[in-house]
Amino acid sequence: MRNLRNIHCSVLEPLPGSRITAATWDVATDSVVCAFGPTRDDIILQLKRWASKSGPQGLTSEDGLDYIAAWDAPCPLPDLECDKILDLHFFSESSTSCLVLAGGDIVVVRGEPQSGEEKIEIVGSVDAGISAAAWSPDEELLAITTQADTLLYMTRDFENVTDVTLSPGDLKASKHVSVGWGKSETQFKGKRAKALRDPTVPEMVDEGSLSQYDRKNTTISWRGDGAFVALNSIDSGSRRVIRVYSREGSLDSVSEPVDGLEGSLTWRPAGNVLAGIQRLEERIDIVFFERNGLRHGQFSLRLSKEEMESWGTDVKLSWNVDSSVLAVCFKDRVQLWTMGNYHYYLKQEIVLPYASSSQEIALFTWHPEKPLQLILGSEAGLRRLEYKLAVAAGPTNPPNDYGVVAVIDGRNVKLTAFRVANVPPPMSSHELVFPFNVVDIAVSGSSLNNSNTRIAVLHREGIHLCEWKLHEKLPSKPTVISFTELPSDQFFQCMIQQIVFMDNHRVLLWHTGSEGASLSTFIMDDTTIRYDATSIQRGVRNLIGPAVTITGTEASNAYIFLDNNEVRHTSSLFSKTEEEQSRGSAKIRLPTFAPRVEVIGYHQKPVALADNYGNGPNSVDQGDLLAFGLTESGSLYANERELARNCTSFLLTPAHLIFTTTQHLVKFVHIAPVKDLEVPPDAPETDERCRSIERGAKLVTVIPSIFALIMQMPRGNLETVYPRALVLAGIRNNINKKKYKKAFLACRNHRVDMNILHDHSPQIFMEDVALFVDQVKKVEHIDLFLSQLREEDVSQTMYKETLRASVNRDPIQEEAPQNRDDHSQSSKINKICDAFLQVLETRKATNLQNMITAHVCKSPPHLEAGLSEIAKLRRDNSEHAERAIEHICFLADVNRLYDTALGLYDLDLTLQVAQQSQKDPREYLPFLQRLQELPTLRRRYTTDNHLGRYGKALQHLYELGVFDELTLYTQKHSLYVQALDLYRYQEESLKVILRLYAEHLQQESKHKEAGIAYEYLLEYESASECYSLAHLWKESLSCATLVPLSKPQLQELARTLADSLVEMKDFFSAATIHLDYLSDLETAARLFCKGYFFADALRIVGLHLRSDLLVPIIDAGLVEGMATMTELLADCKGQLNAQIPRIRELRAKKAEDPLAFFDGDGNGGVDIPDNVSLAPTDTSTAAGGSLFTRYTDRTGTVGTNATRRTSKNRRREERKRARGKKGSVYEEEYLVNSVGRLMDRVNLAGEEVGRLVVGLMRRGMRERARAVEGAMTDVVALCRGCVKEVFQVKEEALVDQSEEEHGRPKGGDGVLWDSMEESQAQREAPLVRAFGKLSLLSS
């Protein structure tokens, strides 16, 4: 799909009398070494250098060349009029030229001779004369054939290493094996076989006869890797033979006989085929041979009989260095052919204006390193040309993005509009034929005055203007509407290079003549095109088509790319108004030359910059235009910023820069100011802007309107893809423009989650639900949208917007986050369904099905509402109701629908739903018949009881007035609360039910609630018993006094309660009971002291005037409390001093070597040989195991046996984790949890220590108080000091989510996984309360 476009043309014109006889490349300086002479009239041979200059293109005379050397070259052979250069080669590293002459001399010309070396030296001579010569690609071997039919190999030092004689016996070297294709022995012979001729059997077998135009010459061609060399020569004067020799000089193969085979031969550098010329009576073919000498296809040169007999009598072939272009050289012209999908295209025909009738064949040489640079010319002039491969595609601005691509194939132009039809090459939708071979093509979109696509076709005689009406529903064929000839005075002997549409009314043509590069304009109207003006513009390197515009409605013009890497607007060259001049003065610059440049309009403030061509001061607008350039090395630039270094092709749309990379990815960059351009990473799995493509694929065109991207594979076939970035950009754009139908269809066609229709802009969508329904219209489409609703906000997850808010965002998109927050407070699905129901309420006649879908798709599904709508419809239209039932049964589980319909007490509707299910009628018909026979309330009770809706069934029993049955039903299904609510105004029935409820609560061990119920019923004895079981001593004793109980019974109850409270360590409550109900002052004081309530103990001793109890009870309690607390604090301090250093040590080990920490070093640091095969087995998981399986020595779920042991391993590992054994991976977790529990205990002990210290001071035990307070202060300080260290937030980053996630393992590995997850999670450190010291003890 790519055409060859000329991007450079330089002309060398020799002095009168001089003739250019050979030329070659100097790759080091990128210059051309030219040879002048010898001729019949002058035997002097001169070498001159045509240097590469940065100046303008155009004519260079021989006076401007750099002189290298000159010498006399008389011809030693009498049968030659003058000597002839067979091969001119330049060695760049030594600045040496090597010339092989037909007379037999091999001459070396040294550019910088060393001492003792001659500048010009004949290093060898062949007496018999030389017929052909060629250097190997690595410049190490020179292959020479002599007039004596010998093949010589010479080294770089010109030493003969191989001497092979070409003999007729060589023809026996290749024994071409026939497998019988076309032979009668291999053909199936059925009925009437004799009457049919097998088309595979050739009518004539070639004998290798010579062509009448054969020049009896010999040709040598090396394979690209230099391993083989092919030799095309005449054997025995009657047959042309292609011999293939190895690098060592052994004969490898000989070609099969081909009639009309001529002397030209070139081996494709890729190595797969050799190309030769076969001349037949009616045509000339390029024929291909394999290395074994067998034919491998051909194609015709498409020459007429007259052309074959005039300039087509002599043909030469040459492949370029990357095997992409085949040059076919004639006397006065050269054709460039490319191949795609096994079809050969004629891309360029370059006619030489200086060629003379006596010249044998045009001079032609490819550049050894740059694939599309070449030297072309004749004896009277030389051209240095450079081409690029470019797609002639139409605009990518919607709505004109028809995907028009024009392919040049000689006189034919193949046109395909990929938006209309995707036709694979070499076929096309339409084909136009012109009188001359096409040079270049330009395609433009529709204009304001003309909605048709225009195509300008350039050839050497003029311009054809074509028109294609693609906007019509059924596009017609493209037609030629006008033709204009190129003015002879302006285009005489000019190199016509490129053509583009300058704007909607002008065409711009670039050509190079003797005065340099010139630009000519042609004016076109509806039906004609005519020449306008020509302007000389120095330094032109490329024409750039009209810029892509952001809005698609702005006027756009063409641009030119100059030698100084500037991109200039063409308006200034042919401007007629000041506005055009000011607009045309804006230009931008790329850092280096780029053969492919595209421009897009973007608005920002201009920056001043000077002009290097003397065209007047100009301002450069770095922000108004974005120029994207792709260099030959693969660097992609945006103005002066480098975006990528591995780019292979790119395209522009109003929204994206699309480019492919050598990593076989296609990437999408949002159009933005240069500094804001963001190239996505190589992450096609996670980023919508990156997508994997086939190896070597390149972009052809893009059609944003249908989200299509057309790519061409290396073989030539096309592939159309719909990248997610284009699809989502189009969907978002349609939503912003409120084109909901287009957005919906795009989601439907490209399998995009339809939640994006709402999530992209929630508030706007909710306001436009009616508009959405009006646009989408189809009931099935609305159902599809509603059925795919999910609570997930896809605009924040799978379809997260990659365009930054500051870059080209729509105002609707800017409001989206706020709107999204507003809608996140409730169910998104229910909000949307309710909005649709509100809109569809007035459209029941046409959208009832959508209403049912909206009810069913709610979360949870509102099946009752949907069935109610159907029930209403059934009364009006039973046929529609039947279809509605089928629809709702398709959306929801039919069993749930059956139960829901039954719950509506509509037996007819239930029957219809049941008929849509897989139920056996014997299952539901008898049941429905029984229900039909029951009274209404009893039927409803039976229905609700069957459905398990016991609350409603209880309500129906209440309405039936069957209290006994209701109480039994309440007890059966524990419906006490509902029953109490029903009988809240009927006291007697309420008490019956409440007594039943109290008994039920007592059985359920809910003693507190049971006690309250009994107390409500005035059953104090039962209430006291329940309160006692609930350890509510105050309520229990209170109810016991209301029974009333006798005093002994009351004391016994009080003593029982006090004992239970002591067991619960509620010493204060137990002491209160002993004091108030048992009158036991000593026990009460002793319990107060045991609970560290020394103030209360002293109070009651003083209240009852029992000072005799101070020493035996109070003081003894203080001493005992001090001893207990001191021991506890000492234990806490010791535990902290032991565990904190161990935690620090474990963390240090883990940081130094995590693998050893978790895996363990069972070998004691001893090295184990690494040459032992350890296959993963049930007992060894060293190979391929995870971190967790290596620790546990288990394979997890690998294998059946391991799966069976998963539960056992998990329980065993949980026990290990709970123990926290020293040296295990769970030790750190266990120690941290232990320190946390210790700090909680210290916090609880703080209040007790405070009361103990005060009690000791009140009883005169100051030193004891100081000791306890000091111990508590030390422990609290130690705890507060280690909190940050022990409970620190882990610094290690969590596992990268982009890496492969294995999930939580099972079994014992899962326990370790949980442990590590908890250790990595942020722990909430416990708060250690400060201990308030007594001021009387403060030092």
Side-chain angles (χ1 to χ4, degrees):
M1 304 299 289
R2 283 169 166 74
N3 303 319
L4 285 175
R5 300 189 76 185
N6 184 275
I7 58 175
H8 179 84
C9 175
S10 298
V11 180
L12 173 63
E13 183 176 317
L15 295 173
S18 298
R19 292 176 56 189
I20 303 175
T21 54
T24 189
W25 288 94
D26 178 4
V27 295
T29 60
D30 203 24
S31 59
V32 179
V33 177
C34 305
F36 295 83
T39 64
R40 182 175 54 184
D41 302 325
D42 188 359
I43 63 172
I44 297 178
L45 196 157
Q46 301 180 65
L47 286 184
K48 295 183 180 181
R49 182 185 299 275
W50 185 14
S52 174
K53 298 181 179 179
S54 60
Q57 305 175 65
L59 181 66
T60 301
S61 66
E62 188 178 343
D63 295 336
L65 302 183
D66 299 330
Y67 175 82
I68 297 178
W71 69 96
D72 292 340
C75 181
L77 299 179
D79 56 342
L80 293 178
E81 294 183 351
C82 63
D83 215 342
K84 179 182 177 182
I85 300 175
L86 297 179
D87 182 76
L88 172 60
H89 192 84
F90 188 84
F91 299 95
S92 300
E93 69 275 8
S94 60
S95 299
T96 303
S97 300
C98 178
L99 295 89
V100 180
L101 304 179
D105 293 337
I106 303 174
V107 183
V108 171
V109 180
R110 299 180 178 90
E112 298 175 356
Q114 302 294 327
S115 59
E117 293 181 342
E118 297 180 0
K119 184 177 182 64
I120 303 172
E121 181 182 0
I122 300 177
V123 295
S125 182
V126 179
D127 295 337
I130 299 175
S131 58
W135 282 93
S136 63
D138 59 0
E139 299 181 338
E140 293 297 330
L141 280 181
L142 173 63
I144 296 176
T145 57
T146 69
Q147 298 291 351
D149 291 336
T150 58
L151 172 64
L152 306 178
Y153 282 177
M154 301 183 72
T155 65
R156 182 72 172 270
D157 298 327
F158 302 100
E159 296 179 0
N160 190 6
V161 294
T162 302
D163 189 345
V164 180
T165 301
L166 308 181
S167 65
D170 296 341
L171 301 183
K172 302 177 182 178
S174 288
K175 296 181 180 180
H176 301 133
V177 179
S178 174
V179 294
W181 298 120
K183 301 296 182 181
S184 61
E185 298 85 19
T186 61
Q187 303 304 309
F188 171 75
K189 295 182 179 181
K191 290 184 178 181
R192 302 173 185 172
K194 294 182 179 180
L196 300 175
R197 191 187 70 82
D198 183 8
T200 63
V201 176
E203 296 181 358
M204 181 183 66
V205 178
D206 287 355
E207 298 177 355
S209 59
L210 296 177
S211 167
Q212 61 176 336
Y213 293 101
D214 198 311
R215 298 174 56 244
K216 308 298 188 294
N217 62 318
T218 301
T219 307
I220 297 176
S221 180
W222 287 86
R223 200 169 74 171
D225 59 358
F228 293 92
V229 63
L231 171 64
N232 186 351
S233 63
I234 297 178
D235 185 72
S236 301
S238 60
R239 171 188 167 185
R240 274 212 172 265
V241 178
I242 300 176
R243 294 175 171 87
V244 177
Y245 290 90
S246 68
R247 191 179 180 90
E248 291 74 25
S250 60
L251 181 63
D252 184 71
S253 64
V254 177
S255 66
E256 63 177 281
V258 176
D259 289 344
L261 184 65
E262 295 190 351
S264 182
L265 179 68
T266 179
W267 202 327
R268 196 166 187 252
N272 55 343
V273 291
L274 298 94
I277 296 292
Q278 182 185 22
R279 186 181 298 271
L280 304 175
E281 292 184 1
E282 69 282 356
R283 69 180 189 274
I284 299 177
D285 288 347
I286 305 293
V287 293
F288 299 106
F289 296 87
E290 298 178 7
R291 199 192 82 189
N292 58 11
L294 295 177
R295 287 279 296 274
H296 190 83
Q298 70 280 324
F299 70 92
S300 177
L301 290 181
R302 310 173 192 172
L303 302 183
S304 64
K305 191 70 174 178
E306 293 76 12
E307 292 171 339
M308 290 171 58
E309 295 175 354
S310 57
W311 48 265
T313 56
D314 196 3
V315 186
K316 177 184 175 183
L317 302 177
S318 180
W319 285 102
N320 70 335
V321 67
D322 67 350
S323 305
S324 61
V325 182
L326 175 64
V328 182
C329 306
F330 302 95
K331 283 188 175 182
D332 64 343
R333 67 197 64 202
V334 172
Q335 294 181 349
L336 303 180
W337 296 75
T338 64
M339 190 268 285
N341 240 15
Y342 305 105
H343 174 80
Y344 278 83
Y345 299 84
L346 174 55
K347 293 299 183 183
Q348 286 286 338
E349 183 181 69
I350 310 162
V351 179
L352 300 174
Y354 299 102
S356 63
S357 59
S358 62
Q359 178 176 315
E360 294 180 354
I361 196 168
L363 296 175
F364 186 88
T365 303
W366 286 107
H367 195 290
E369 295 181 355
K370 299 179 180 179
L372 298 179
Q373 280 195 28
L374 56 94
I375 306 168
L376 169 65
S378 62
E379 298 172 351
L382 199 63
R383 289 185 178 182
R384 175 175 175 172
L385 305 177
E386 182 177 0
Y387 287 85
K388 69 172 182 177
L389 287 170
V391 178
T396 59
N397 287 47
N400 300 324
D401 53 339
Y402 294 102
V404 177
V405 176
V407 180
I408 297 174
D409 189 10
R411 298 181 181 183
N412 303 328
V413 173
K414 300 176 182 291
L415 295 173
T416 301
F418 286 96
R419 185 169 162 186
V420 179
N422 194 341
V423 182
M427 297 180 291
S428 60
S429 298
H430 302 282
E431 190 167 328
L432 299 177
V433 182
F434 297 93
F436 300 96
N437 290 323
V438 178
V439 175
D440 196 16
I441 303 177
V443 183
S444 92
S446 60
S447 63
L448 298 177
N449 301 326
N450 193 334
S451 58
N452 300 327
T453 298
R454 294 286 184 92
I455 303 168
V457 180
L458 173 67
H459 53 76
R460 68 173 184 267
E461 295 296 330
I463 301 174
H464 281 87
L465 185 63
C466 308
E467 190 173 70
W468 199 357
K469 299 179 180 179
L470 289 169
H471 64 283
E472 298 177 351
K473 188 172 183 179
L474 293 175
S476 59
K477 294 182 179 180
T479 57
V480 179
I481 61 174
S482 180
F483 169 73
T484 183
E485 292 184 356
L486 301 179
S488 59
D489 57 336
Q490 297 291 338
F491 293 87
F492 178 69
Q493 293 186 347
C494 286
M495 178 69 184
I496 302 171
Q497 296 171 269
Q498 295 183 23
I499 187 172
V500 296
F501 281 91
M502 187 173 175
D503 51 34
N504 294 329
H505 307 286
R506 291 179 292 181
V507 173
L508 184 64
L509 176 62
W510 172 30
H511 52 96
T512 299
S514 59
E515 296 182 358
S518 300
L519 299 176
S520 298
T521 57
F522 293 79
I523 298 177
M524 58 181 179
D525 52 27
D526 291 341
T527 57
T528 62
I529 181 173
R530 66 183 187 277
Y531 172 75
D532 179 35
T534 297
S535 172
I536 297 176
Q537 177 65 41
R538 291 171 291 175
V540 178
R541 289 301 304 273
N542 201 0
L543 296 186
I544 307 170
V548 179
T549 55
I550 297 296
T551 62
T553 60
E554 307 168 12
S556 60
N557 292 77
Y559 295 82
I560 57 175
F561 188 60
L562 302 177
D563 271 342
N564 64 344
N565 304 324
E566 288 185 356
V567 178
R568 287 195 58 194
H569 205 290
T570 56
S571 298
S572 61
L573 303 177
F574 306 94
S575 58
K576 298 180 179 179
T577 63
E578 293 183 359
E579 180 182 356
E580 289 182 347
Q581 290 180 352
S582 62
R583 185 176 56 183
S585 62
K587 58 181 183 291
I588 49 181
R589 177 179 284 114
L590 295 177
T592 185
F593 172 70
R596 170 82 193 284
V597 180
E598 294 291 336
V599 177
I600 187 170
Y602 203 89
H603 302 292
Q604 250 184 3
K605 295 182 180 180
V607 180
L609 200 64
D611 184 0
N612 293 344
Y613 276 101
N615 293 319
N618 296 302
S619 64
V620 176
D621 193 336
Q622 296 287 352
D624 188 50
L625 295 175
L626 290 179
F628 296 93
L630 176 60
T631 66
E632 294 177 348
S633 62
S635 295
L636 179 62
Y637 290 94
N639 291 0
E640 296 188 1
R641 177 189 170 189
E642 186 179 35
L643 298 180
R645 295 183 180 180
N646 57 350
C647 179
T648 57
S649 62
F650 77 94
L651 290 172
L652 278 181
T653 71
H656 293 100
L657 161 69
I658 310 171
F659 67 94
T660 56
T661 69
T662 54
Q663 277 73 36
H664 323 301
L665 300 172
V666 59
K667 295 187 176 184
F668 296 79
V669 180
H670 294 289
I671 297 298
V674 176
K675 60 181 177 60
D676 295 328
L677 291 173
E678 183 180 358
V679 179
D682 296 348
E685 300 85 1
T686 59
D687 198 327
E688 71 181 35
R689 298 170 296 170
C690 185
R691 176 192 173 114
S692 297
I693 57 176
E694 187 175 332
R695 179 183 297 270
K698 291 186 178 181
L699 303 177
V700 175
T701 188
V702 59
I703 312 174
S705 296
I706 61 172
F707 325 121
L709 183 66
I710 293 91
M711 297 180 292
Q712 188 170 28
M713 306 302 112
R715 194 190 73 184
N717 56 308
L718 298 181
E719 181 178 349
T720 301
V721 297
Y722 298 87
R724 191 63 75 191
L726 279 182
V727 174
L728 293 178
I731 292 173
R732 294 182 184 116
N733 185 46
N734 287 327
I735 294 174
N736 295 337
K737 294 179 179 179
K738 298 187 177 182
K739 297 180 179 179
Y740 292 109
K741 183 175 182 179
K742 287 187 176 181
F744 170 83
L745 292 177
C747 293
R748 180 171 175 261
N749 294 338
H750 300 286
R751 302 182 64 84
V752 175
D753 195 317
M754 292 193 181
N755 284 272
I756 194 176
L757 298 175
H758 167 271
D759 296 342
H760 178 65
S761 183
Q763 183 175 353
I764 301 300
F765 180 85
M766 298 300 291
E767 295 172 357
D768 293 336
V769 171
L771 179 62
F772 179 89
V773 174
D774 292 337
Q775 289 184 1
V776 176
K777 290 184 181 179
K778 283 190 176 182
V779 175
E780 297 82 2
H781 289 175
I782 298 175
D783 282 348
L784 180 61
F785 169 73
L786 293 173
S787 62
Q788 291 194 4
L789 291 176
R790 294 185 292 125
E791 294 293 347
E792 178 187 357
D793 186 352
V794 297
S795 66
Q796 299 298 311
T797 54
M798 64 171 64
Y799 303 139
K800 189 171 183 179
E801 176 63 85
T802 55
L803 181 62
R804 285 184 289 180
S806 60
V807 179
N808 233 14
R809 290 288 292 271
D810 191 277
I812 294 178
Q813 299 180 21
E814 295 292 339
E815 298 174 3
Q818 300 176 359
N819 302 336
R820 197 170 291 111
D821 293 341
D822 295 340
H823 285 259
S824 63
Q825 298 175 0
S826 59
S827 171
K828 179 187 81 172
I829 298 177
N830 293 344
K831 277 183 172 292
I832 297 174
C833 291
D834 290 340
F836 271 84
L837 289 171
Q838 184 178 357
V839 171
L840 298 175
E841 187 65 33
T842 58
R843 311 184 189 191
K844 283 188 177 182
T846 57
N847 295 88
L848 179 63
Q849 179 175 315
N850 298 141
M851 296 183 66
I852 296 172
T853 304
H855 285 302
V856 175
C857 290
K858 284 187 175 182
S859 179
H862 197 182
L863 301 180
E864 295 87 351
L867 290 172
S868 299
E869 295 289 345
I870 296 176
K872 296 177 185 177
L873 178 64
R874 188 168 53 83
R875 292 191 291 267
D876 301 331
N877 191 325
S878 59
E879 183 179 353
H880 290 174
E882 187 71 24
R883 290 201 298 267
I885 291 175
E886 292 180 5
H887 177 67
I888 197 172
C889 290
F890 170 75
L891 293 176
D893 181 13
V894 68
N895 294 320
R896 290 187 59 190
L897 286 172
Y898 173 81
D899 293 342
T900 305
L902 190 62
L904 295 176
Y905 315 117
D906 190 334
L907 298 182
D908 294 335
L909 180 62
T910 305
L911 179 61
Q912 287 182 306
V913 172
Q915 290 172 348
Q916 295 294 327
S917 68
Q918 301 296 324
K919 292 178 178 290
D920 190 340
R922 290 175 295 182
E923 296 180 21
Y924 58 83
L925 281 179
F927 174 70
L928 295 179
Q929 290 173 353
R930 287 197 303 271
L931 290 179
Q932 187 70 31
E933 297 171 356
L934 296 176
T936 302
L937 288 177
R938 179 59 65 176
R939 182 195 310 144
R940 292 187 175 183
Y941 160 74
T942 306
T943 300
D944 289 328
N945 183 60
H946 172 75
L947 296 177
R949 301 191 300 189
Y950 304 121
K952 286 189 175 183
L954 188 70
Q955 175 71 30
H956 298 316
L957 289 177
Y958 174 76
E959 294 174 357
L960 287 171
V962 286
F963 183 74
D964 295 339
E965 185 178 356
L966 184 145
T967 55
L968 294 174
Y969 195 79
T970 300
Q971 289 178 286
K972 180 179 180 180
H973 297 291
S974 301
L975 300 175
Y976 300 101
V977 177
Q978 294 88 333
L980 289 173
D981 186 62
L982 290 174
Y983 289 98
R984 59 185 179 276
Y985 301 120
Q986 302 177 27
E987 190 66 25
E988 295 300 326
S989 299
L990 178 68
K991 288 184 178 180
V992 173
I993 295 173
L994 187 59
R995 183 174 291 103
L996 295 175
Y997 191 21
E999 294 173 357
H1000 172 73
L1001 291 173
Q1002 194 170 6
Q1003 292 175 359
E1004 295 292 325
S1005 298
K1006 297 180 180 180
H1007 302 294
K1008 178 180 177 181
E1009 292 83 355
I1012 295 174
Y1014 281 125
E1015 192 171 2
Y1016 179 86
L1017 296 172
L1018 304 180
E1019 297 180 9
Y1020 296 113
E1021 186 174 0
S1022 299
S1024 177
E1025 181 181 354
C1026 290
Y1027 284 138
S1028 175
L1029 293 174
H1031 304 290
L1032 300 174
W1033 64 274
K1034 295 178 181 178
E1035 291 82 354
S1036 178
L1037 292 173
S1038 173
C1039 290
T1041 56
L1042 295 176
V1043 172
L1045 291 178
S1046 63
K1047 187 174 182 180
Q1049 292 176 329
L1050 184 62
Q1051 289 179 349
E1052 183 62 26
L1053 176 62
R1055 188 173 290 105
T1056 302
L1057 290 172
D1059 294 341
S1060 65
L1061 291 173
V1062 170
E1063 292 178 2
M1064 297 172 59
K1065 296 188 181 300
D1066 187 359
F1067 299 109
F1068 190 91
S1069 299
T1072 304
I1073 293 175
H1074 277 283
L1075 184 64
D1076 295 343
Y1077 290 91
L1078 299 176
S1079 301
D1080 189 350
L1081 178 63
E1082 295 182 9
T1083 304
R1086 190 174 289 105
L1087 290 174
F1088 275 130
C1089 292
K1090 197 169 185 179
Y1092 296 94
F1093 298 102
F1094 297 103
D1096 294 280
L1098 290 171
R1099 180 185 66 81
I1100 62 174
V1101 167
L1103 177 65
H1104 293 85
L1105 302 177
R1106 293 289 304 275
S1107 58
D1108 58 308
L1109 300 178
L1110 291 176
V1111 174
I1113 296 179
I1114 303 299
D1115 290 349
L1118 286 170
V1119 173
E1120 182 182 358
M1122 176 201 169
T1124 303
M1125 188 59 65
T1126 302
E1127 183 180 1
L1128 172 64
L1129 295 177
D1131 291 343
C1132 291
K1133 189 174 182 180
Q1135 180 179 342
L1136 289 174
N1137 290 331
Q1139 291 181 340
I1140 292 175
R1142 179 59 179 169
I1143 292 174
R1144 193 179 298 121
E1145 178 184 357
L1146 291 173
R1147 288 176 177 172
K1149 289 182 178 180
K1150 182 169 65 173
E1152 291 174 1
D1153 191 354
L1155 184 60
F1157 178 81
F1158 289 106
D1159 196 12
D1161 186 5
N1163 304 304
V1166 180
D1167 293 336
I1168 298 177
D1170 58 0
N1171 58 351
V1172 179
S1173 174
L1174 295 176
T1177 63
D1178 215 20
T1179 58
S1180 174
T1181 59
S1186 67
L1187 177 66
F1188 310 109
T1189 58
R1190 283 197 299 271
Y1191 170 73
T1192 58
D1193 287 337
R1194 295 291 178 184
T1195 57
T1197 58
V1198 179
T1200 305
N1201 295 335
T1203 304
R1204 292 172 180 170
R1205 288 195 297 269
T1206 297
S1207 179
K1208 180 179 179 181
N1209 292 342
R1210 177 178 53 79
R1211 291 193 299 269
R1212 181 176 60 188
E1213 205 68 23
E1214 286 176 350
R1215 290 193 297 269
K1216 289 182 180 180
R1217 182 182 179 187
R1219 289 196 300 267
K1221 183 179 178 181
K1222 185 174 182 180
S1224 69
V1225 291
Y1226 303 116
E1227 182 183 0
E1228 180 190 356
E1229 179 189 14
Y1230 176 82
L1231 293 177
V1232 171
N1233 294 335
S1234 176
V1235 172
R1237 293 190 295 269
L1238 182 146
M1239 291 180 179
D1240 294 337
R1241 181 67 185 93
V1242 169
N1243 286 333
L1244 294 176
E1247 297 180 359
E1248 298 176 351
V1249 171
R1251 296 195 296 267
L1252 176 61
V1253 170
V1254 173
L1256 289 171
M1257 285 295 295
R1258 290 179 64 182
R1259 294 300 299 159
M1261 305 178 189
R1262 187 173 185 279
E1263 293 304 321
R1264 294 176 183 266
R1266 178 186 291 275
V1268 174
E1269 186 181 67
M1272 184 65 187
T1273 303
D1274 293 343
V1275 172
V1276 170
L1278 190 58
C1279 290
R1280 293 172 72 99
C1282 72
V1283 166
K1284 186 175 181 180
E1285 179 182 2
V1286 174
F1287 299 93
Q1288 62 182 354
V1289 178
K1290 288 296 178 182
E1291 300 292 338
E1292 294 82 8
L1294 296 179
V1295 177
D1296 187 0
Q1297 296 298 324
S1298 64
E1299 297 180 357
E1300 182 180 3
E1301 296 183 1
H1302 300 283
R1304 182 187 183 278
K1306 297 180 179 180
D1309 294 344
V1311 178
L1312 178 58
W1313 177 284
D1314 295 337
S1315 174
M1316 293 186 63
E1317 287 292 318
E1318 291 184 13
S1319 65
Q1320 290 178 348
Q1322 182 176 357
R1323 297 190 185 94
E1324 184 178 355
L1327 177 63
V1328 181
R1329 299 191 187 97
F1331 177 68
K1333 299 172 66 175
L1334 192 63
S1335 60
L1336 294 174
L1337 295 175
S1338 301
S1339 56

